[in-house]
Structure formats: structure tokens, C-alpha cells
Amino acid sequence: MANYYAMSVSELEAERDRLEAKMMASNDTAEIELLSQDIEGIEDILSERDSMAED
């Protein structure tokens, strides 16, 4: 698993897009669930950083 906290915003967005594409192409329910969890984690980090930028 990648260290998402060490990634820049643009890297996180690219990784999220890559994982979403992989999830759409998958027929494996377990893999889709894991990818979904990773995507949610990335989105949480992005929203944390976004709220810090607003302060």
C-alpha cells in the first residue's frame, strides 16, 4: 500500500483516478471493495488538506 500522506495533491488525484479506473474494470467483488476503501482514504486526505488550505 502506498503512503498516501507523503503524496502531493496532484499525485493523490492521479492515484485516485487510476484506482477508480481499475475498480471499473474489475469483476472481483473483493478487489472492488479494497480499491473502494483506498479511494475513500485518498478522498479523506484530500479533504483534510483542502480544509487546512482554507484556514
Side-chain angles (χ1 to χ4, degrees):
M1 178 174 201
N3 182 1
Y4 296 132
Y5 285 99
M7 293 180 166
S8 69
V9 169
S10 60
E11 289 172 323
L12 285 168
E13 289 170 342
E15 180 68 3
R16 179 190 60 200
D17 293 346
R18 186 187 73 77
L19 292 174
E20 285 175 345
K22 188 174 178 181
M23 187 173 77
M24 294 298 199
S26 179
N27 291 325
D28 182 352
T29 305
E31 181 182 38
I32 290 170
E33 182 61 33
L34 290 173
L35 292 169
S36 176
Q37 290 173 7
D38 282 353
I39 291 166
E40 286 178 24
I42 290 170
E43 289 176 347
D44 288 346
I45 294 168
L46 287 170
S47 66
E48 286 173 17
R49 291 187 183 177
D50 203 29
S51 66
M52 286 192 306
E54 291 174 3
D55 292 344

